[in-house]
Amino acid sequence: MTEGDESPLEAYDPAIENFHMLSVIWAALCGGVVLYTLVVFWLSFSGAVGFGLPEYVMYGAAPFGLLWLLGILFFRRRAIGTLVEQLRPEERFSHYQTMVITMLAMMEFGGLWVVTAAFMSNQPYWALVGGGAATYLMVRARPSEAEFMGE
């Protein structure tokens, strides 16, 4: 090994490793929403399982879930701005990580609420709406170093 070469241990950066772990959590949550949505859609569409709740259940469940998703989107933007303004970068990551995981879980809830209500009322296309909206917002909420630094 020459003098200018770095060993793998010297090149290890914990911040990069933390972002990789956060990306794995993000991918797992997104994948779970997509998989659940597709399974529910298939079960509902094929008629394999049916619960027969009245259709009007979706008139309350869908707006609630979709408004929940929009509320989380705006709350997330506000929370990131607060983190950037109030904390130094070296103190910020643990707060950022907790905030990202919490917001992703709340987005997942909003989408799965609509998907489950669609399943219970035998309306498969609403499952695609709820799961699709949650997946879209979760993909847009992918953790990034630029977002972390407030850029």
Side-chain angles (χ1 to χ4, degrees):
M1 191 182 280
T2 62
E3 191 173 315
D5 292 341
E6 288 184 346
S7 74
L9 291 177
E10 291 172 4
Y12 174 74
D13 184 1
I16 292 174
E17 183 67 28
N18 288 337
F19 267 99
H20 289 304
M21 183 59 67
L22 197 53
S23 293
V24 168
I25 293 169
W26 167 81
L29 288 170
C30 287
V33 169
V34 169
L35 185 62
Y36 183 72
T37 301
L38 292 176
V39 167
V40 164
F41 176 76
W42 179 77
L43 286 174
S44 294
F45 192 74
S46 68
V49 178
F51 290 97
L53 288 180
E55 288 185 13
Y56 63 82
V57 167
M58 288 308 299
Y59 300 137
F64 172 78
L66 298 175
L67 287 173
W68 177 272
L69 287 170
L70 289 175
I72 295 303
L73 179 66
F74 293 118
F75 182 71
R76 181 180 182 280
R77 288 182 184 167
R78 178 77 177 145
I80 289 172
T82 301
L83 283 177
V84 170
E85 292 171 4
Q86 295 182 357
L87 298 173
R88 295 189 316 263
E90 54 272 4
E91 300 172 338
R92 194 180 306 157
F93 188 78
S94 64
H95 296 281
Y96 177 75
Q97 183 176 18
T98 302
M99 188 269 313
V100 165
I101 293 170
T102 303
M103 295 297 162
L104 288 172
M106 293 173 80
M107 287 179 193
E108 182 182 35
F109 166 76
L112 296 185
W113 171 268
V114 176
V115 172
T116 303
F119 182 58
M120 299 296 283
S121 62
N122 249 357
Q123 296 191 23
Y125 295 107
W126 274 106
L128 294 179
V129 170
T135 302
Y136 174 75
L137 291 177
M138 290 172 80
V139 166
R140 291 207 44 197
R142 182 174 189 208
S144 69
E145 292 180 42
E147 178 184 69
F148 171 70
M149 296 306 290
E151 299 171 357

